[in-house]
Amino acid sequence: MSGEHGNPGQRPAGEPAGGEQLALIRETVRRSKEPRAKPRTWRGAALAEGLPVARVLVDKGLLHLDQFFDYAVPAAMDRDAQPGVRVRVRFGARVVKGRREGGTLHDGFIVERRTDSDFRGPLAPLAQVLSTEPVLTPPLLMLCRQVADRYAGALADVVQLAVPPRMARAEREPWPGPPPATAGGTATDPAAPPPGTWTRYTTGPAYLRALSRGDTPRGVWLALPGPHWPRELAVAMATALAAGRGALAVLPDGRAAARVDAALTELIGEGRHVMLTADAGPEERYRRWLAVSRGAVRAVVGTRAAMFAPVAGLGLIVLWDDGDSSHAEQHAPQPHARDVLLLRAREERTAFLLGGITTTVEAAQLVDSGWALPLAAARDEVRAAAPLIRTVGDADQARDEAARAARLPSVAWQVTRDALTRGPVLVQVPRRGYVPRLACDRCREPARCAACAGPLELRDEKATPSCGWCGRPAADWHCALCGGTRLRARVVGARRTAEELGRAFPRVPVRTSGRDTVLGSVGGAPALVIATPGAEPVADEGYAAALLLDGWALLSRPDLRAGEEALRRWAQAAALVRPASEGGTVLVLAEPTLRPVQALVRWDPAGHAVRELAERAELRFPPVSRMASVTGAAAALADFVDTVRLPPGTELLGPVPVPASGVPGSARPRRAGAASAGGPSERLLLRVPPGSGSALASSLKEAQVARATRGAPDPVLIRMDPPDIG
């Protein structure tokens, strides 16, 4: 904001946030019809000739300051102060006798050099050019602006996600030159690899041929179970590189990225691509990012943050397993990698490949709309690759009357014993810990802490029950409902499961993989591998069998995506098991008549996604419509609703109290301290028809700016496309 609006010290660009500012980025130079005087000096010091004004994005991250600000460029900084470089500026200075005084120093980026400014008063000068590296290029700036507009966020927040922190030593080190040419390739581009196992997919070879021609095919790839998908993904990237274009692959975690990295290195050799993950450390990651920004390498494999990687001549974008929650950024404005990469594919006109062992509803919508074509295998190829999927059926129940109710029925013990003679067995347990939830042994009421009402848990066999929230021990616990004093396990965790199976199979090694220690791989020798969802290690020769325990825990989540997420987690584990022709068996312990279980038995995740999409279209749920959540104290929500001007057709759902889990409709009480200063938190959902998402985001952002400008006491939290709709 300018000095006239209470924030003196520098001049904002004339455009507000949103579409007009995006137009400014595209055009980069706009001139006012009224002639303005060019600044020449600052306190006697000469200013830069020609372009004495720098338009700066100040790293404030406040919605009501989501605009550019003009600063004077001293002549001494003229050569270094180029668009895209990092600078330090004084923000919030005051005019004292015609001069700017005071203010605090903030980092920022120069987005444009100009001959004049819209502001008639004196401009504060740039305080320092921190680096001459142009890290915020015009295409990256435009992408950040589009993401900020889509998610009703501040441009500075998105830029903070897109550009890694500066590491001076990394900037001084040059990236090694390209390796020698390979057979059939050049020093810059490797030779195109053969299609390999892509021939198992009906349209797989045709997709690769389109990539090799430099076309922009778009596909939703339903990968076959087994160990081949990392190499198949790498083949697609290498094909794009051979066509003289860049390639970017974003994966949910470092383990998956490492598998693709190894496959791509095997195909194209060392030094032709980089892997961008947090495991590399800040300095090494920034060094690799600079290699991409400078155009030294044109292929990137990475995790969520790599979605902004400035790949030169980008020709292919790959996103693997878009249903994984790791693809959703937790920092404001909380963009999802799928949406960011779709924006890039449209804006940069690239090929797009959305792959996974299962298909999300969003992927099914891309196919249904005709924007992407399905890349899937014929049923005979599916049957050849998939393991045998078993459930607890009527025959098993006839032999064992407690089969449906038992956590480990007799058929599970039989499958485990038989498989251990042939190799390792994977046991997937939805909950980590020992006994993460306890209940009263008499009335089965969930056991809760007397101090904060948090759930009680047991951390190991000899431990005293304690609160999972505040950590207080509950040695003298008694049930508030019936007065009982004995506890029983309500949910059994991975460590308790490992302990029980270890006692049942004393001669078999037991290995665990979870949040504290995630195993990358296990050998082919017989072993019991107990893992939580997403932490399953890869077996060298595939697992002989897998047990998917406590299916109810995944299916009973109060979430719109509960069924889709359960199927995704089960299929990820089952895909690590050997094919049925080699004796691979998967036993899923869940109600066999439920749709996700049946989809797993048939190995038809695409069909499940299509049916889910049809149901959501009928109910007008995302992704058919767009939604936003607004969370805050009741008074703040009421004030926000009075302030916002919503687009036509907006539906207001709620508000409803926000429980401890953050999901409306949950039976769990509020976590201690969850209430805001203005009272208990509530959540309001806003739903708009297709095509109105941008208007909704814009109106929500304008309301936030209005409330911040007038100093509204209680804030509200806005999230576009919230993932936790119950």
Side-chain angles (χ1 to χ4, degrees), residues 35-121:
R36 296 171 175 82
K38 299 178 182 179
R40 295 298 183 189
T41 62
W42 170 258
R43 294 187 178 182
L47 297 183
E49 291 290 338
L51 299 173
V53 177
R55 184 154 284 179
V56 176
L57 171 66
V58 181
D59 188 10
K60 288 287 289 183
L62 300 175
L63 281 180
H64 62 290
L65 298 177
D66 188 27
Q67 52 193 320
F68 301 139
F69 295 86
D70 289 346
Y71 287 84
V73 181
M77 300 182 188
D78 187 19
R79 189 176 70 172
D80 294 341
Q82 297 301 313
V85 304
R86 305 176 201 252
V87 293
R88 184 161 291 159
V89 296
R90 194 167 294 279
F91 193 84
R94 297 184 179 276
V95 179
V96 180
K97 296 181 180 180
R99 295 180 175 181
R100 299 291 186 184
E101 302 286 355
T104 56
L105 291 174
H106 290 273
D107 292 346
F109 299 87
I110 295 179
V111 299
E112 183 188 357
R113 289 283 298 273
R114 298 172 60 93
T115 59
D116 51 27
S117 172
D118 299 332
F119 184 48
R120 295 182 179 278

Side-chain angles (χ1 to χ4, degrees), residues 498-587:
E499 186 180 280
E500 293 174 350
L501 291 174
R503 286 197 294 261
F505 298 95
R507 297 183 180 180
V508 178
V510 179
R511 306 189 67 182
T512 59
S513 181
R515 188 180 69 171
D516 297 332
T517 304
V518 178
L519 303 177
S521 62
V522 295
L528 286 165
V529 181
I530 288 78
T532 52
E536 301 91 347
V538 177
D540 290 347
E541 300 174 3
Y543 289 99
L547 304 181
L548 310 178
L549 303 186
D550 303 334
W552 61 269
L554 293 175
L555 292 169
S556 61
R557 293 168 56 232
D559 192 334
L560 182 66
R561 297 179 179 272
E564 176 186 319
E565 179 66 5
L567 176 59
R568 188 187 73 83
R569 292 180 179 273
W570 291 337
Q572 292 277 11
L576 301 175
V577 179
R578 300 167 189 169
S581 59
E582 299 177 17
T585 303
V586 175
L587 179 65

Side-chain angles (χ1 to χ4, degrees), residues 54-401:
R55 184 154 284 179
V56 176
L57 171 66
V58 181
D59 188 10
K60 288 287 289 183
L62 300 175
L63 281 180
H64 62 290
L65 298 177
D66 188 27
Q67 52 193 320
F68 301 139
F69 295 86
D70 289 346
Y71 287 84
V73 181
M77 300 182 188
D78 187 19
R79 189 176 70 172
D80 294 341
Q82 297 301 313
V85 304
R86 305 176 201 252
V87 293
R88 184 161 291 159
V89 296
R90 194 167 294 279
F91 193 84
R94 297 184 179 276
V95 179
V96 180
K97 296 181 180 180
R99 295 180 175 181
R100 299 291 186 184
E101 302 286 355
T104 56
L105 291 174
H106 290 273
D107 292 346
F109 299 87
I110 295 179
V111 299
E112 183 188 357
R113 289 283 298 273
R114 298 172 60 93
T115 59
D116 51 27
S117 172
D118 299 332
F119 184 48
R120 295 182 179 278
L123 296 178
L126 299 176
Q128 182 183 357
V129 177
L130 296 175
S131 167
T132 59
E133 188 77 36
V135 291
L136 187 58
T137 59
L140 183 56
L141 176 62
M142 186 183 300
L143 173 64
C144 292
R145 177 75 269 168
Q146 291 174 326
V147 173
D149 290 346
R150 177 179 176 84
Y151 285 94
L155 175 60
D157 284 336
V158 182
V159 170
Q160 195 173 49
L161 299 176
V163 181
R166 177 178 180 248
M167 298 289 162
R169 185 165 57 181
E171 289 185 348
R172 293 192 297 267
E173 296 175 359
W175 184 261
T182 56
T186 67
T188 305
D189 303 318
T197 53
W198 272 107
T199 56
R200 301 184 299 167
Y201 303 92
T202 307
T203 55
Y207 184 87
L208 296 180
R209 287 194 297 270
L211 283 179
S212 65
R213 293 193 301 266
D215 295 344
T216 57
R218 301 185 295 262
V220 171
W221 170 34
L222 182 61
L224 289 168
H228 301 294
W229 69 263
R231 186 175 179 86
E232 290 165 352
L233 195 157
V235 166
M237 295 183 68
T239 302
L241 290 172
R245 307 187 71 185
L248 168 64
V250 178
L251 298 103
D253 55 56
R255 293 186 304 137
R259 295 178 68 186
V260 176
D261 174 67
L264 189 57
T265 301
E266 184 180 346
L267 283 174
I268 66 175
E270 297 278 356
R272 296 181 182 273
H273 77 283
V274 296
M275 185 166 73
L276 296 179
T277 63
D279 296 338
E283 183 172 323
E284 177 61 22
R285 181 175 178 272
Y286 185 53
R287 188 176 74 90
R288 296 176 185 178
W289 189 91
L290 285 176
V292 178
S293 179
R294 294 168 178 172
V297 293
R298 294 192 298 167
V300 175
V301 176
T303 49
R304 181 183 63 236
M307 60 186 170
F308 291 103
V311 180
L314 188 59
L316 172 65
I317 293 174
V318 184
L319 178 63
W320 176 258
D321 191 17
D322 63 309
D324 195 300
S325 60
S326 298
H327 286 304
E329 176 62 60
Q330 297 305 306
H331 295 91
Q334 301 176 299
H336 194 285
R338 177 181 54 244
D339 295 330
V340 174
L341 294 176
L342 285 172
L343 283 173
R344 293 194 70 174
R346 294 184 177 109
E347 187 68 27
E348 302 180 46
R349 298 181 180 179
T350 73
F352 191 78
L353 186 59
L354 182 59
I357 298 296
T358 60
T359 303
T360 61
V361 176
E362 287 79 7
Q365 186 188 38
L366 293 177
V367 174
D368 183 67
S369 67
W371 191 84
L373 295 176
L375 272 171
R379 290 304 300 176
D380 57 342
E381 292 285 358
V382 175
R383 285 190 289 269
L388 172 67
I389 310 294
R390 295 184 58 181
T391 64
V392 178
D394 294 337
D396 299 302
Q397 196 171 10
R399 290 191 295 269
D400 181 4
E401 294 183 0

